[in-house]
Amino acid sequence: MKGIGQELSVQNVSKYYGSFKALTDINLVCKPGEFVSILGSSGSGKTTLLKVIAGFERCSDGKIFINGKDVANVPCFKRNIGMLFQNYALFPHLTVAQNIAYPLKLRKLKKAEIDKKVSDMIDLIKLTGLGDRYPRQLSGGQQQRVGLARAIIYNPPLLLLDEPLGALDKNLRHEMQFEIKRITHELGMTTISVTHDQEEAFSMSDKICIVSAGQIQQFATPEQIYEKPANRFVAEFMGTTNIIPLKDAVYTDGDDGKTLVVGTSELTNGKCVLKTETKSIKSQDTNPFFALRPEAIHLAKEGSVYDNTFEAELTESIYLGQYVKAKAKVGSLLLNVTLDVREYRALDLTQKVKFCFDAEHTAILYS
Ligand code: ADP
Ligand code: MG
């Protein structure tokens, strides 16, 4: 099926509430059919951004284009956007089926067609048999699913979801994540979904937009965000990592199109070898950090040669079934490492443990 999705382009948008700046210079392009998650902690401006896109709030500065058209003067009900907002109430005097049918009635579809679509949708959101209930007779999670159904029933070309699965427990949340992804991809809707759940952002999105204090920290694919965080905030926000200062860095062109960075760090007690994409070098004379994920750290085998090795004292450890999470102490650094259970059990913990990591499995951070 040909995708119905529209392109959304947010350009230099800022938003003030009185003198408080809730959004600063937001730039974001969502291609037709893309699923984009806005990820950030509470109060970072996620809902405000959605409201500005929807037209519930005017931007103080900047422009928003939908399919190339500046929508500054298009009221929200004419933007044809499917929406599910936090606490976006269902109509209390309408049943589940009537709530879901509402957007179709507005669009004057035939009754038989409405009934069929609504009944399919009720099955899809796993509320079969509950079509005649009123919202007050539903749990929070059930109400949220009705809200979602009402937002997507008429196949909107642009869909805005504000924490759409927040009220669901874990299993149902996973199931609904899968369903939302399937529906939006099948129809090719462009979807912007707000969440504070990293795993949800990772599992659903083509791209993730990390927001902090009203500013975009990085807008990229989940892989790029995780493996090549733009800055220290993103590196620390996404999962667990280790941030290590790098001194006296010297940059040379590698023969693989990448840049070799050799510096010193407390971790490696001397030479530390890293690799980076050439374009990410900002300045030769700043003292950067590098991010080293726990899973990029491995036990070094005797007699093998590695880019980097270090010795650490393992302090705390937590057994997690498949693997062990531990803290490794090197000088003043306390690193997070993850180890295979069997490897961990074979270690002699009275001695320092020798670890290694690849130059490539690091990310250099300048801010
Ligand atoms: P999030 O959805 O990421 O939790 P919001 O976009 O709701 O964040 O809010 C961002 C910031 O703007 C918060 O500091 C919040 O207190 C403030 N804010 C939100 N709405 C208003 C409003 N109508 N008037 C004044 N301040 C607001
Ligand atoms: Mg919010």
Side-chain angles (χ1 to χ4, degrees):
M1 187 193 281
K2 192 173 172 298
I4 56 170
Q6 293 176 322
E7 183 183 86
L8 170 73
S9 175
V10 176
Q11 296 183 7
N12 307 106
V13 162
S14 296
K15 170 72 189 170
Y16 284 90
Y17 290 116
S19 62
F20 176 74
K21 200 169 190 185
L23 295 175
T24 303
D25 210 17
I26 300 289
N27 283 285
L28 189 71
V29 176
C30 309
K31 300 208 188 85
E34 261 183 350
F35 196 111
V36 173
S37 286
I38 313 277
L39 182 63
S41 44
S42 178
S44 56
K46 306 180 299 294
T47 297
T48 301
L49 179 56
L50 281 200
K51 282 184 177 163
V52 165
I53 295 170
F56 291 151
E57 294 279 0
R58 283 188 88 86
C59 30
S60 311
D61 205 354
K63 285 180 188 300
I64 291 168
F65 297 87
I66 297 179
N67 268 2
K69 184 177 186 285
D70 183 345
V71 295
N73 295 313
V74 182
C76 53
F77 68 92
K78 285 202 173 150
R79 293 191 189 185
N80 198 25
I81 297 174
M83 286 179 248
L84 175 60
F85 273 89
Q86 270 174 315
N87 314 320
Y88 187 66
L90 299 171
F91 303 117
H93 59 289
L94 298 183
T95 63
V96 166
Q98 288 164 344
N99 263 284
I100 298 174
Y102 186 80
L104 300 179
K105 281 202 172 142
L106 269 188
R107 288 168 177 77
K108 305 205 184 325
L109 269 69
K110 294 204 178 68
K111 183 169 184 311
E113 196 182 344
I114 293 180
D115 289 348
K116 167 85 174 81
K117 279 186 192 254
V118 169
S119 148
D120 288 351
M121 185 56 84
I122 287 177
D123 291 344
L124 188 75
I125 59 167
K126 306 208 158 46
L127 293 182
T128 308
L130 302 188
D132 292 331
R133 285 212 191 162
Y134 286 89
R136 64 175 182 278
Q137 299 170 309
L138 300 176
S139 72
Q142 289 169 332
Q143 289 184 26
Q144 202 165 35
R145 277 177 282 158
V146 177
L148 180 66
R150 189 177 60 180
I152 61 179
I153 186 86
Y154 68 99
N155 299 343
L158 183 56
L159 179 64
L160 305 180
L161 304 172
D162 196 354
E163 314 226 7
L165 309 175
L168 308 186
D169 59 32
K170 201 172 169 197
N171 287 341
L172 193 53
R173 196 161 71 226
H174 282 299
E175 237 174 280
M176 291 304 291
Q177 282 171 2
F178 186 80
E179 282 305 327
I180 292 179
K181 189 168 175 175
R182 188 181 66 73
I183 295 167
T184 54
H185 271 245
E186 226 165 63
L187 297 168
M189 290 174 201
T190 308
T191 309
I192 324 286
S193 180
V194 161
T195 180
H196 60 259
D197 181 338
Q198 290 178 22
E199 200 186 312
E200 183 172 310
F202 267 103
S203 65
M204 298 184 74
S205 318
D206 298 310
K207 288 203 187 128
I208 297 176
C209 177
I210 310 247
V211 190
S212 156
Q215 287 180 288
I216 294 186
Q217 300 295 322
Q218 190 169 10
F219 178 48
T221 63
E223 287 82 359
Q224 287 166 333
I225 296 254
Y226 194 76
E227 288 165 26
K228 300 292 163 197
N231 55 40
R232 193 171 169 165
F233 178 86
V234 175
E236 292 183 305
F237 189 71
M238 301 306 287
T240 306
T241 195
N242 300 294
I243 305 280
I244 299 147
L246 187 71
K247 291 206 175 71
D248 312 316
V250 176
Y251 299 80
T252 46
D253 290 334
D255 42 18
D256 52 1
K258 293 184 177 161
T259 300
L260 200 63
V261 186
V262 180
T264 58
S265 78
E266 189 182 1
L267 175 65
T268 49
N269 189 20
K271 197 168 68 95
C272 182
V273 184
L274 310 171
K275 256 185 196 176
T276 181
E277 315 283 329
T278 307
K279 61 181 186 308
S280 67
I281 294 180
K282 295 251 171 74
S283 165
Q284 298 275 359
D285 49 30
T286 50
N287 281 329
F289 296 85
F290 65 100
L292 180 62
R293 295 278 180 198
E295 62 271 23
I297 300 172
H298 304 285
L299 291 173
K301 292 195 185 75
E302 219 42 66
S304 297
V305 180
Y306 300 101
D307 292 340
N308 298 286
T309 56
F310 64 90
E311 287 191 344
E313 188 186 326
L314 281 189
T315 56
E316 307 149 51
S317 66
I318 309 169
Y319 173 75
L320 289 166
Q322 270 180 311
Y323 55 91
V324 173
K325 268 191 186 179
K327 298 275 185 198
K329 194 171 176 327
V330 186
S332 67
L333 302 169
L334 196 58
L335 304 186
N336 299 294
V337 296
T338 50
L339 294 164
D340 179 85
V341 172
R342 273 184 299 176
E343 280 180 346
Y344 178 77
R345 287 191 180 139
L347 291 175
D348 173 4
L349 294 179
T350 61
Q351 306 268 317
K352 282 194 171 176
V353 179
K354 197 168 177 190
F355 290 100
C356 61
F357 61 94
D358 275 357
E360 284 199 70
H361 295 158
T362 56
I364 298 190
L365 308 169
Y366 296 89
S367 60

